Amino acid sequence: MKLSTTFQKITWLVLFLAITIVTYGQKFTGLTATASSGTATAAVDGNQGTRWESEHGVDPQWIIADLGELKTVGALKIYWEGANAKDYSISFSANGTDFTGELFYTGKAAGARTDVVDNLNVNCRYIKINGTARNLTYGYSIWAFEIYPPVVPVLTSLTLTPATSSVVLGNSQQLTVGGLDQIGNVIALTNTTSWSVDGTGASVDANGLFSSTAKGLFTVTATNSDLTKTATVDVLPSNANLSIGSTATASSGVAGAAIDNNGGTRWESAASDPQWIMVDLGAKKYISDIVITWEAANSKDYIIEVSDNATDWTNLVTKTAMAAGARTDRMYDLNVEAQYVRLTGTARNLTYGHSIWEFKIFGTNTLSTVARYPQASDLVSVYPNPVRENLNLSAKVKEATLLSLDGKELIKMNNISTFNVSTIKAGLYILRLENQDGNIQSQKINIQ
C-alpha cells in the first residue's frame, strides 16, 4: 500500500511537471466566445489576422470569452484594431451569468493599441469585455483577446530603441536595450548585452553608442540571454539638402511635393512611361549625394541626368530592375556640379504612376576650381534633330554613344563627326558625347 501511494505521488509529480512545461508562461488555448453582435470567435481563434467587430454606432457592446472550465487567470492582453474602446470594463464569472470584480478603463487612446491587464490572480471561467464608448464611429473591434495563467515573469523578448533613426555623418546615435516578459511587461536585464553592427565604417560600443565614418543604412543587433533585437540607423550625408527651397517641375503631377521636406506628401506622375521630375537648384551647385524615398508605386527603371542650362543633359545615374515595394535609393559620392537634376522613369513596378515621397539632393553652394562640364561655348552642336539618318556634329568627338532612355547602350563610335542612326527604330534616345578634352555632354535625340 505504501509503495502504491509513493507511486501515485511520483505519477502526479511527473504529470504536474509536464503540464507546467507545456503551459508555463503560455496563453490559454481552446477558448470559445460569444458577443452582443459580430463574430466573437474571431477574437479567440489564435489568428491575429481575423477580428471581432461589433455592430456599428451602438453602445454598449460586449464580448465574453469562455475558458471551458474554472481556471486561475493572471493576465489579459487585448489587441484592439483602430476602431477600439475609449471606455470599457472587464468583469469575471464562474457561471456566465453573475459577473463580479469589475475593472473600469476610461479615456483610452485612439488608434490600434494593445491593452495589458496583469496581476489578476482571479479564479473564473468567463471573462467579459464591455465597451461603453468608442473612439471611432464604427463598432468595437478586437484582433485578439488573450488570457494567461499566473506566471513568474521571465525574460522573453528584447526592445531596442529607437527602432529606426537617422544621423548626419560624423554624429552618433545612442541605442537603448530593454527586456519584456511573456506578457509584454518591462523586466530588468540581469545579463550583459553584446552589440554588433553590419557594414563597413560603422561601430557600436559596449553601451550601445553607434557611430560611423561612412554613409549608408546600417543594422545594429543587441544580444542578451540568447535573445536578439535589431534596429536600423540611416547615416545621412553631412552636406545640406539642396532640394529644400528649390523649385521642381514634372511631366505630370505635383512636383513640389517631392522636395518639401515632408515625408507625408508625394509626387505622383500620370500612369504612363516615360515620366520625369526636374529640380532647379537656382544656380550651379556642387552635388555630392542623392537619396530618393519611393512610395510602393515606384520606378523599376530610371535615369538621373544633370545640366547647367536645362537643355544639354549629362547622364549621371542609370538604374534598372529595381525592387518593387516602398524603398529608398541611396546614391553617394556623385561629386558633380550642375543647376538642374532630372529623374526620368522609363518603367514602373505597378500600374500606377511613378511616386516619390522625398527627392533629396545633398551638396554645397561652393564649386570646385575644375569645371566638370563644358561651357556653352565648348558644346558640340548636333543637327538635325529630329533626325532620320545622319546626325552631324559641329566638331569631331572622342566618343559618341547612343543610349535608350533607360540607359542601355545601343551604338558607340569613336573619333567621328557624323553619327548614322538609320538602323534605330523611331523614338526618343540620349546621345552622349565626350570631346577631345574629356568634357561630357548629353542631349535627347528624336529619331523619326
Side-chain angles (χ1 to χ4, degrees):
M1 187 69 176
K2 186 175 181 181
L3 180 61
S4 176
T5 302
T6 302
F7 178 79
Q8 288 176 343
K9 288 180 179 179
I10 293 173
T11 301
W12 281 110
L13 177 60
V14 171
L15 181 60
F16 172 78
L17 289 174
I19 294 173
T20 301
I21 291 171
V22 172
T23 63
Y24 184 77
Q26 300 299 314
K27 64 186 178 184
F28 291 120
T29 58
L31 280 61
T32 58
T34 56
S36 53
S37 59
T39 307
T41 54
V44 296
D45 61 0
N47 180 358
Q48 292 197 23
T50 61
R51 61 189 172 94
W52 165 66
E53 182 178 12
S54 74
E55 182 180 357
H56 288 193
V58 178
D59 296 313
Q61 293 287 322
W62 54 264
I63 181 172
I64 298 174
D66 181 359
L67 293 166
E69 61 184 10
L70 285 173
K71 294 182 179 180
T72 303
V73 174
L76 310 173
K77 290 182 76 172
I78 307 168
Y79 296 85
W80 294 97
E81 197 241 3
N84 60 43
K86 180 180 179 181
D87 302 338
Y88 69 97
S89 65
I90 298 175
S91 54
F92 309 89
S93 174
N95 57 19
T97 302
D98 305 305
F99 285 85
T100 59
E102 198 165 20
L103 305 172
F104 295 93
Y105 303 91
T106 59
K108 302 293 285 185
R113 70 171 195 263
T114 301
D115 292 350
V116 177
V117 182
D118 58 359
N119 299 317
L120 291 174
N121 198 30
V122 174
N123 194 37
C124 65
R125 173 175 174 175
Y126 302 92
I127 302 175
K128 180 179 181 180
I129 300 174
N130 188 47
T132 54
R134 290 159 288 121
N135 269 310
L136 296 179
T137 58
Y138 311 105
Y140 297 87
S141 184
I142 293 176
W143 290 110
F145 182 16
E146 297 179 348
I147 304 171
Y148 294 80
V151 294
V152 176
V154 174
L155 178 63
T156 305
S157 61
L158 302 178
T159 61
L160 190 54
T161 54
T164 59
S165 59
S166 60
V167 296
V168 174
L169 183 67
N171 295 337
S172 58
Q173 173 66 56
Q174 181 64 58
L175 298 169
T176 303
V177 65
L180 299 176
D181 67 13
Q182 56 270 57
I183 304 300
N185 290 330
V186 174
I187 186 171
L189 297 175
T190 57
N191 294 328
T192 301
T193 301
S194 61
W195 298 85
S196 63
V197 60
D198 71 344
T200 302
S203 63
V204 58
D205 68 14
N207 297 312
L209 184 65
F210 169 91
S211 59
S212 177
T213 59
K215 295 166 281 191
L217 186 66
F218 299 91
T219 300
V220 178
T221 301
T223 302
N224 189 295
S225 305
D226 295 326
L227 299 172
T228 62
K229 190 69 175 180
T230 61
T232 57
V233 182
D234 192 359
V235 180
L236 300 174
S238 56
N239 289 327
N241 179 4
L242 300 175
S243 295
I244 300 174
S246 297
T247 58
T249 54
S251 52
S252 57
V254 183
I259 61 168
D260 59 0
N261 203 32
N262 181 355
T265 62
R266 60 190 172 94
W267 166 66
E268 183 178 9
S269 75
S272 61
D273 296 315
Q275 295 288 329
W276 56 265
I277 180 171
M278 182 180 72
V279 180
D280 179 359
L281 299 176
K284 188 175 182 180
K285 297 182 179 182
Y286 168 73
I287 299 169
S288 58
D289 314 276
I290 295 176
V291 176
I292 305 171
T293 304
W294 294 92
E295 197 242 2
N298 58 45
S299 293
K300 180 180 180 182
D301 301 337
Y302 67 93
I303 61 171
I304 296 177
E305 303 165 285
V306 290
S307 174
D308 292 339
N309 55 20
T311 300
D312 304 296
W313 294 92
T314 296
N315 189 25
L316 182 64
V317 175
T318 300
K319 297 287 187 179
T320 59
M322 299 298 288
R327 70 171 196 264
T328 299
D329 293 349
R330 299 169 172 85
M331 290 149 275
Y332 299 130
D333 302 320
L334 298 172
N335 303 327
V336 298
E337 294 172 0
Q339 177 175 340
Y340 301 91
V341 179
R342 182 174 67 186
L343 181 151
T344 302
T346 55
R348 292 160 288 137
N349 269 310
L350 297 179
T351 57
Y352 311 105
H354 301 262
S355 184
I356 293 176
W357 292 110
E358 284 293 295
F359 188 1
K360 298 179 180 180
I361 303 167
F362 296 91
T364 67
N365 294 325
T366 303
L367 301 177
S368 68
T369 57
V370 179
R372 170 65 177 82
Y373 299 110
Q375 302 300 313
S377 58
D378 297 326
L379 291 173
V380 176
S381 299
V382 179
Y383 59 94
N385 189 13
V387 61
R388 292 182 181 275
E389 185 172 347
N390 288 317
L391 275 171
N392 299 310
L393 311 180
S394 61
K396 182 178 288 189
V397 296
K398 179 180 178 181
E399 182 178 274
T401 307
L402 188 69
L403 306 167
S404 62
L405 288 181
D406 60 4
K408 294 178 181 177
E409 183 178 303
L410 303 176
I411 304 176
K412 178 184 288 186
M413 300 181 70
N414 297 320
N415 298 314
I416 63 167
S417 57
T418 302
F419 199 108
N420 188 285
V421 294
S422 60
T423 60
I424 304 299
K425 68 179 182 180
L428 291 176
Y429 298 87
I430 297 170
L431 181 64
R432 180 181 183 274
L433 302 176
E434 181 179 349
N435 68 13
Q436 303 300 327
D437 296 327
N439 290 320
I440 297 172
Q441 69 181 78
S442 295
Q443 70 180 78
K444 284 187 177 178
I445 301 297
N446 184 2
I447 298 178
Q448 296 183 334

